[in-house]
């Protein structure tokens, strides 16, 4: 007797990510109730399952949905507002003044909607978010049906959103309480960085993370100056300072981690921390190149992030996959560093595991959520194709994404977004905020 299913996706190639280094040909993914029921050869799927719908992707690669392990989504409204500056000048001269004048619930909601549409069209199905007004961000992710872990940003200094660290945490936790039962939305504690957060606040955040069993998501060791300033002020490198405050652990996601010495890597390894590698942002701000090969040699879980659209300026994880692979090779002068399957794993299962979601997303396995991305390799610039995994890293881009599903629901169909808002509405948000930010 055949079993009922909601959808069967027949693909020319399937890269499930787990098991590693595997590319399957002429396989089908069977979906029911928003979850993956089976992954099997197409001829077996036809006999074992009776589907309400089926789709044939005859020139496509089907992979897990991409996981953006670090983003500031509302900053899509500040894309290109301050280029060609190093990090601290970029923050102090452009970003913080603009945010101080304009950030609001509407800014966050509408900027996040723009970012979500961009990410979904590029195959990103999960975003680890860090910004102000987390409830407004949750509204946006809910409306457009994207999976998200929303960071409860914390700083010591006032902004239009909150007055001090206690106020940031109070408002953030209230947002978490309001949205905590949502099937696609989770939360993390997101202290901005060691240079903007005090010891007392870090201690409180460590206790809250343990109590609530949620991740800690913070920028760390992004620039050489940050490390030097920490040594001058605290007598310790930033990671050593956080270790002394009991902040490091399996739930800790350190963003950037560009400037690491052996002691830093030993701390990350000993405490089983994760890293969000943001290669394009690190290049654009001239922060440096993260030591990816050394992190991998130490078995430190590393995923990929875009950072915000003001420091990238794309929310494009295919770009990050390619840049991560090429930077890893050229920085080590070893062409075998970070091969294609390993780069794809960083953008999928590694990010999921860093967020504590590895049992739910990040690979194409029975029982996991049907968060999936199909990439069409049917154009002359993608032919011939000898190795689909290599093509995804070195040939294809987000413009080749044809289909995206989140929890089994179609979000991009034949390259067109299937969203609650149309392109005209999204472009209207962009035009409105361009006018406001220009004045």
């Amino acid at each position: 007797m055949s079993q009922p299913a909601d959808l069967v996706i027949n693909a020319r190639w399937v890269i499930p990510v787990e098991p590693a280094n595997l590319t399957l040909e002429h396989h089908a993914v069977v979906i029911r109730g928003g979850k993956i029921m089976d992954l099997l050869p197409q001829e077996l799927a036809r006999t074992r399952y009776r589907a309400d719908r089926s789709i044939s992707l005859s020139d496509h690669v089907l992979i897990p949905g991409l996981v953006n392990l670090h983003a500031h989504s509302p900053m899509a409204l500040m894309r290109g507002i301050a280029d060609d500056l190093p990090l601290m000048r970029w923050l102090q001269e452009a970003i913080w003044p603009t945010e101080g004048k304009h950030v609001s619930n509407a800014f966050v909601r509408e900027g996040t909607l723009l970012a979500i549409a961009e990410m979904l069209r590029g195959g990103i199905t999960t975003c680890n978010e860090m910004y102000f007004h987390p409830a407004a961000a949750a509204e946006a992710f809910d409306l457009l049906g994207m999976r998200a872990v929303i960071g409860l940003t914390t700083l010591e200094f006032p902004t239009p959103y909150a007055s001090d660290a206690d106020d940031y945490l109070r408002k953030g936790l209230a947002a978490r309480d309001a949205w905590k039962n949502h099937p696609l939305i989770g939360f993390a504690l997101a202290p901005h960085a060691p240079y903007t957060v005090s010891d007392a606040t870090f201690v409180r955040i460590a206790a809250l993370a343990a109590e609530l069993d949620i991740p800690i998501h913070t920028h760390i060791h992004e620039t050489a100056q940050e490390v030097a300033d920490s040594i001058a002020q605290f007598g310790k490198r930033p990671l050593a300072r956080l270790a002394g405050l009991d902040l490091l652990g399996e739930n800790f996601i350190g963003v950037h981690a560009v400037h690491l010495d052996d002691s830093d890597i030993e701390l990350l390894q000993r405490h089983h921390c994760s890293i969000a590698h943001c290669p394009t942002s690190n290049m654009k701000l001239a922060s440096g190149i993260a030591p990816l090969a050394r992190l991998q040699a130490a078995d430190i879980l590393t995923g990929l992030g875009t950072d915000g659209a003001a420091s990238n300026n794309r929310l494009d994880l295919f770009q990050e996959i390619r840049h991560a692979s090429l930077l890893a090779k050229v920085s080590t002068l070893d062409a075998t560093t970070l091969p294609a399957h390993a780069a794809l794993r960083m953008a999928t299962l590694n990010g999921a595991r860093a967020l504590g979601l590895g049992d739910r997303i990040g690979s194409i396995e029975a029982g996991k959520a049907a968060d999936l991305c199909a990439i069409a390799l049917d154009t002359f610039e993608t032919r011939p194709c000898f190795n689909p995994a290599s093509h995804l890293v070195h040939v294809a881009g987000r413009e080749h994404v044809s289909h995206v599903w989140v929890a089994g629901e179609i979000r991009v169909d034949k390259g067109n977004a299937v969203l609650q808002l149309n392109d005209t509405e999204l472009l209207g948000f962009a035009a409105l905020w361009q006018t406001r930010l220009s004045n």
Side-chain angles (χ1 to χ4, degrees), residues 128-418:
N128 186 30
E129 177 62 25
M130 179 194 284
Y131 209 67
F132 309 107
H133 296 281
E139 289 176 17
F141 283 106
D142 173 60
L143 180 64
L144 297 191
M146 184 174 173
R147 197 178 301 275
V149 175
I150 298 175
L152 309 181
T153 297
T154 307
L155 298 159
E156 299 298 335
F157 56 81
T159 65
Y161 168 61
S163 59
D164 56 21
D166 287 343
D167 197 24
Y168 285 100
L169 286 169
R170 181 168 56 252
K171 289 176 176 176
L173 292 170
R176 175 189 175 272
D177 289 344
W179 287 88
K180 66 180 178 181
N181 294 319
H182 195 285
L184 297 180
I185 296 174
F187 290 86
L189 289 157
H192 173 260
Y195 55 87
T196 54
V197 177
S198 70
D199 283 5
T201 299
F202 274 130
V203 168
R204 185 178 175 197
I205 284 170
L208 283 169
E211 176 187 343
L212 302 175
D213 191 25
I214 59 176
I216 297 171
H217 171 202
T218 190
H219 302 97
I220 193 79
H221 288 240
E222 184 173 2
T223 66
Q225 189 63 49
E226 172 194 339
V227 177
D229 289 347
S230 177
I231 293 170
Q233 183 175 357
F234 300 100
K236 297 178 180 179
R237 297 170 67 84
L239 276 167
R241 175 183 163 217
L242 297 190
L245 300 172
D246 293 326
L247 214 74
L248 304 187
E250 291 184 359
N251 65 337
F252 180 87
I253 302 168
V255 181
H256 299 304
V258 173
H259 297 275
L260 303 177
D261 68 8
D262 289 346
S263 70
D264 301 320
I265 289 178
E266 191 277 330
L267 281 173
L268 292 169
Q269 181 185 49
R270 173 154 47 94
H271 291 280
H272 306 287
C273 300
S274 301
I275 294 299
H277 178 35
C278 304
T280 305
S281 177
N282 295 157
M283 286 192 286
K284 187 166 182 288
L285 293 170
S287 298
I289 303 173
L292 186 58
R294 291 167 60 210
L295 290 168
Q296 291 188 317
D299 200 26
I300 295 166
L301 187 65
T302 305
L304 290 175
T306 60
D307 212 342
S311 67
N312 186 307
N313 295 351
R314 298 158 63 100
L315 304 179
D316 179 356
L317 219 57
F318 280 92
Q319 175 174 264
E320 304 310 320
I321 294 169
R322 185 169 299 121
H323 283 165
S325 178
L326 297 178
L327 280 175
K329 295 174 189 302
V330 74
S331 64
T332 59
L333 299 180
D334 181 356
T336 67
T337 304
L338 196 64
H341 278 285
L344 291 172
R345 193 178 186 90
M346 287 179 66
T348 53
L349 188 57
N350 283 12
R353 287 177 171 169
L355 292 170
L357 299 176
D359 60 338
R360 296 170 57 190
I361 61 170
S363 58
I364 302 178
E365 298 180 79
K368 287 195 172 185
D371 289 13
L372 302 165
C373 169
I375 302 95
L377 301 181
D378 57 357
T379 54
F380 66 85
E381 72 267 19
T382 62
R383 296 293 184 90
C385 179
F386 301 107
N387 182 332
S390 172
H391 257 43
L392 294 185
V393 176
H394 298 297
V395 178
R398 66 179 181 181
E399 67 273 17
H400 297 105
V401 170
S402 62
H403 298 75
V404 176
W405 293 266
V406 177
E409 296 293 327
I410 192 75
R411 294 290 176 250
V412 176
D413 187 4
K414 298 178 182 176
N416 297 310
V418 183

Side-chain angles (χ1 to χ4, degrees), residues 84-104:
D84 307 319
L85 293 172
L87 176 65
M88 292 315 297
R89 284 189 58 200
W90 177 80
L91 284 171
Q92 293 169 353
E93 297 176 17
I95 300 304
W96 287 342
T98 301
E99 289 176 335
K101 186 176 180 181
H102 294 287
V103 168
S104 64

Side-chain angles (χ1 to χ4, degrees), residues 8-16 22-30 38-46 55-62 383 385 388:
V8 173
I9 305 171
N10 296 290
R12 174 67 176 83
W13 298 282
V14 178
I15 299 178
L22 180 65
T23 300
L24 302 170
E25 295 192 60
H26 304 296
H27 271 58
V29 175
V30 183
D38 209 344
L39 168 61
L40 72 172
Q42 292 173 15
E43 61 270 21
L44 290 179
R46 283 190 286 270
I55 182 172
S56 178
L57 302 176
S58 57
D59 295 294
H60 301 65
V61 189
L62 188 68
R383 296 293 184 90
C385 179

